């Protein structure tokens, strides 16, 4: 009990000195992380399923993740943004059959500008693993 109290006291005292100093490394790192996370967005879309099995005298039920998406987006400045999207699904083959696996769906940098430039209106350039326009169109007209 004395060790726990001493460790807790040392942690509180140490964090007071670390955050009390305006030039502390922890404070600088926290400021840098907050600056990095500003203009950022994280979103998820997860598809869950429920199963109820009866096998002989035994039965069981479970919730399962059928599929999911995790998306990270960051606006770097007025004309540059970045996006990383992952696809989570169940592995249906190989030695990891039945495990969740994560694949890279999108990972790109978007350079864009507003305005009309001769025949171009609001031009944009995507570099990286970019979305396929046909899939986006299909997902909008067939939401299920």
């Amino acid at each position: 009990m004395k060790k726990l109290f001493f460790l807790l006291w040392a942690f509180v005292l140490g964090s007071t000195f670390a955050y009390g100093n305006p030039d502390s490394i922890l404070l600088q790192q926290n400021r840098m992380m907050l600056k990095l996370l500003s203009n950022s967005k994280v979103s998820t879309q997860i598809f869950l399923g429920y199963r109820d099995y009866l096998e002989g005298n035994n039965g069981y039920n479970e919730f399962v993740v059928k599929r999911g998406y995790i998306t990270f987006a960051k606006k770097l400045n007025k004309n540059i943004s970045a996006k990383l999207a992952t696809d989570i699904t169940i592995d249906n083959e190989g030695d990891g059959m039945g495990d969740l696996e994560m694949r890279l769906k999108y990972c790109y940098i978007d350079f864009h500008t507003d305005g009309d430039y001769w025949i171009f209106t609001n031009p944009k350039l995507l570099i990286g693993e970019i979305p396929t326009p046909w899939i986006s169109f299909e997902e909008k007209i067939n939401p299920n």
Side-chain angles (χ1 to χ4, degrees):
M1 183 69 178
K2 289 181 181 180
K3 285 183 181 179
L4 180 65
F5 178 73
F6 178 74
L7 288 174
L8 183 63
W9 181 78
F11 176 74
V12 170
L13 187 64
S15 62
T16 303
F17 283 123
Y19 283 104
N21 183 359
D23 295 328
S24 73
I25 293 173
L26 289 174
L27 190 59
Q28 291 174 3
Q29 288 176 344
N30 285 345
R31 286 182 182 152
M32 188 171 40
M33 287 301 293
L34 286 174
K35 186 177 178 183
L36 182 67
L37 293 175
S38 67
N39 295 324
S40 297
K41 181 178 153 186
V42 178
S43 62
T44 62
Q45 183 178 13
I46 299 175
F47 301 95
L48 296 174
Y50 175 75
R51 299 182 201 175
D52 186 24
Y53 293 97
L54 293 174
E55 294 178 359
N57 291 335
N58 297 329
Y60 63 95
N61 54 43
E62 64 184 356
F63 283 98
V64 294
V65 175
K66 295 290 192 177
R67 187 165 209 150
Y69 302 105
I70 302 173
T71 305
F72 304 96
K74 169 84 172 148
K75 187 171 185 180
L76 300 172
N77 63 29
K78 180 183 163 200
N79 297 324
I80 302 173
S81 60
K83 184 175 184 180
L84 179 124
T86 59
D87 184 358
I88 300 170
T89 187
I90 297 174
D91 189 5
N92 292 324
E93 59 190 21
D95 60 349
M97 188 170 176
D99 294 340
L100 286 177
E101 65 182 7
M102 184 183 294
R103 298 182 201 145
L104 189 62
K105 186 175 180 185
Y106 308 130
C107 182
Y108 62 87
I109 296 180
D110 180 358
F111 300 95
H112 56 276
T113 182
D114 297 330
D116 294 330
Y117 302 99
W118 190 48
I119 60 172
F120 301 109
T121 303
N122 300 332
K124 99 191 295 190
L125 173 67
L126 300 176
I127 297 175
E129 188 173 344
I130 64 172
T132 306
W134 178 255
I135 293 174
S136 299
F137 172 73
E138 282 288 326
E139 286 177 347
K140 286 180 184 172
I141 62 171
N142 295 317
N144 295 334

